[in-house]
Amino acid sequence: MAGAQKNIEKGIQGEAYVRDVIEKASELLGKLIRVYNHVILDFPSVYGKRTVEIDHIIVTDDRIIIGETKAANYVQTDYSEETWTLLNGVTTDNPIEQNHFHKQIFCSCFDIPREQVVTVEFLLEYSERSVRSHYPNDYVLGKDNLLEGICLLLSEGKEKLDFDELCKQLEKIEAKSAWRDAEHKENLEEIREIEEKTRTRDNHYRFKRTDTVKCPLCDGFLVFRYKPWVKKKLGNKKNTWNIALGCSNYSKTGCDKFIEPKKDGGQGFDDVEEIHIEDRMGWTMEERHVGTILDEYINLREENETLKNNLQAERSKNQAKDNQILDLKETNKRLEINVAKAINRAEEAEQECKRFKRFFGQVYIKK
Ligand SMILES: [Zn+2]
């Protein structure tokens, strides 16, 4: 499809553009940072041995920034929606959720506290977006504040952390990742296919990509099997139920634990107990927000906006008072004129009256 190809090219250009901006920010700040692009990481999942691809990993003295670049236009960009829809109608991951998922994999792969990792979504087709999302250490930058935002995120923190060992590993992984594009793409397609097959009746995916399931018979894990032999084993002629959970140790120890779906699709795996990544990693507490200079900047900008609005309101009030005073002055002037006229008239009336008095007086006297 020409449209899809165009989107891929736009994506590649977008990533290159962000790489340039990161380099520019590092030059502007005169700060040496380490950047790894296009890094493919492996992770265990109930969906099998799977991969994630992280667009940018920036390592500074005190934090790690995981960046996801999007050069696409969407029908809507509601931060809290699970999925976003591209203009061509294709449903795709909400990049905020996608990046959160990448962060979970990254932190679990290298055993790094979540508070040391910031995620940023670069929405290159958008501007004037809200910079903070619902995740505690996550930011959304658009074309209008990309360089500024990166500069502020790269600015000096208080503590220095040692990421040398991590960087050595990332260097090796980055080099290998270049050859794993096709594998990653296939992985993604397979996960999506399984997700669709295991949807629950209310249309949610039954398992998170970061979930694992322990085998009840051995120390292995249960993973989805859905290749043609499963279909044969399940005896399904229709294409709908050809999915089951099997033990990851099958080829090593022959453990043949096999869980078939009971009814339709995802509903059939209701009894399966998954282990969430939070539990595996011991992330029992809510992730703490760690303040950055970008936060301070956002706060100051908001305060500034409020002050500006207050000032404007104050000015409007003053203007209204000035107008009232002008009105009063007008009214006053009109009243003064009226009073003057009235006095005039009264004087005239008095004169008139005197004349009449005299006249009647004479008449009376004559009488
Ligand atoms: Zn087993």
Side-chain angles (χ1 to χ4, degrees):
M1 268 199 321
Q5 189 55 38
K6 220 176 177 179
N7 279 344
I8 292 171
E9 276 166 27
K10 232 178 126 188
I12 293 170
Q13 281 168 9
E15 280 176 35
Y17 175 70
V18 171
R19 282 207 289 272
D20 286 347
V21 175
I22 295 170
E23 209 181 299
K24 198 172 169 193
S26 129
E27 276 168 23
L28 279 172
L29 295 168
K31 197 174 174 182
L32 216 61
I33 49 168
R34 291 169 280 191
V35 187
Y36 307 90
N37 299 293
H38 221 65
V39 174
I40 293 181
L41 299 177
D42 297 281
F43 69 100
S45 165
V46 65
Y47 293 102
K49 274 186 184 155
R50 297 300 172 184
T51 45
V52 287
E53 192 226 308
I54 301 178
D55 290 345
H56 319 277
I57 301 174
I58 308 168
V59 183
T60 73
D61 286 340
D62 65 324
R63 68 175 70 99
I64 296 156
I65 301 164
I66 290 184
E68 179 68 27
T69 295
K70 295 291 176 201
N73 285 290
Y74 302 91
V75 175
Q76 48 73 25
T77 54
D78 185 341
Y79 288 6
S80 59
E81 286 291 323
E82 201 174 15
T83 55
W84 286 5
T85 307
L86 291 165
L87 283 192
N88 62 9
V90 172
T91 303
T92 178
D93 294 323
N94 167 352
I96 293 168
E97 292 302 327
Q98 191 186 6
N99 218 7
H100 176 68
F101 161 59
H102 288 174
K103 173 176 172 169
Q104 287 186 316
I105 301 294
F106 179 87
C107 289
S108 65
C109 270
F110 300 104
D111 202 13
I112 288 177
R114 291 168 299 167
E115 282 78 8
Q116 290 177 7
V117 179
V118 163
T119 45
V120 189
E121 293 78 52
F122 305 114
L123 303 186
L124 301 184
E125 291 295 317
Y126 291 85
S127 54
E128 291 184 25
R129 304 313 319 272
S130 167
V131 181
R132 294 281 305 272
S133 81
H134 47 285
Y135 287 115
N137 297 298
D138 181 53
Y139 302 92
V140 180
L141 297 175
K143 57 184 168 190
D144 55 333
N145 56 3
L146 189 61
L147 178 64
E148 177 183 87
I150 293 175
C151 278
L152 291 168
L153 278 176
L154 293 181
S155 294
E156 214 67 52
K158 285 176 195 91
E159 48 178 341
K160 294 237 185 303
L161 298 167
D162 181 10
F163 291 127
D164 285 351
E165 192 46 48
L166 169 77
C167 287
K168 265 185 217 158
Q169 289 186 53
L170 283 176
E171 211 170 292
K172 281 186 204 153
I173 296 170
E174 184 189 40
K176 271 191 225 156
S177 299
W179 314 101
R180 300 186 69 191
D181 267 353
E183 177 198 348
H184 175 65
K185 212 175 145 220
E186 197 180 319
N187 260 326
L188 265 186
E189 277 163 18
E190 284 181 0
I191 289 184
R192 283 193 186 127
E193 201 179 325
I194 301 170
E195 275 176 342
E196 289 310 314
K197 279 179 198 289
T198 54
R199 264 185 193 281
T200 57
R201 207 170 277 155
D202 57 355
N203 250 342
H204 278 91
Y205 297 138
R206 172 64 184 82
F207 298 98
K208 286 185 190 160
R209 292 180 183 182
T210 45
D211 285 346
T212 54
V213 178
K214 281 289 294 172
C215 172
L217 298 185
C218 73
D219 62 351
F221 288 89
L222 296 183
V223 290
F224 276 113
R225 308 289 189 203
Y226 65 103
K227 293 280 159 70
W229 63 266
V230 175
K231 192 173 155 190
K232 212 170 150 192
K233 183 162 177 162
L234 293 175
N236 271 319
K237 287 191 182 75
K238 278 189 225 152
N239 234 357
T240 45
W241 292 3
N242 60 345
I243 187 149
L245 282 166
C247 182
S248 59
N249 276 344
Y250 178 71
S251 59
K252 274 187 274 172
T253 65
C255 175
D256 61 355
K257 181 69 189 170
F258 199 72
I259 299 180
E260 303 174 14
K262 274 187 230 134
K263 282 178 275 160
D264 50 290
Q267 293 282 319
F269 297 105
D270 272 358
D271 303 339
V272 174
E273 246 180 70
E274 67 274 27
I275 312 167
H276 298 309
I277 193 166
E278 288 85 356
D279 297 326
R280 292 204 303 278
M281 294 305 297
W283 294 334
T284 45
M285 306 277 274
E286 284 273 309
E287 185 181 332
R288 205 164 33 82
H289 172 70
V290 180
T292 63
I293 299 179
L294 179 56
D295 289 318
E296 284 170 35
Y297 173 76
I298 299 165
N299 292 343
L300 282 175
R301 214 178 48 184
E302 273 167 17
E303 268 173 43
N304 200 21
E305 198 58 36
T306 313
L307 283 175
K308 238 165 67 186
N309 288 342
N310 288 351
L311 186 64
Q312 191 56 45
E314 229 24 70
R315 271 193 190 138
S316 300
K317 258 194 252 168
N318 277 348
Q319 188 63 45
K321 270 189 195 136
D322 284 351
N323 288 344
Q324 262 176 358
I325 291 171
L326 272 183
D327 278 354
L328 281 173
K329 273 186 183 157
E330 279 296 300
T331 314
N332 218 7
K333 215 182 259 169
R334 271 204 308 277
L335 280 173
E336 269 171 20
I337 293 168
N338 283 348
V339 168
K341 274 185 191 160
I343 291 170
N344 242 357
R345 267 209 303 275
E347 270 171 11
E348 274 170 20
E350 209 182 309
Q351 293 302 328
E352 201 84 338
C353 202
K354 274 181 192 159
R355 259 199 357 242
F356 275 110
K357 243 188 199 164
R358 261 201 310 274
F359 176 70
F360 283 120
Q362 282 168 5
V363 172
Y364 177 75
I365 289 164
K366 274 187 177 172
K367 227 184 178 179

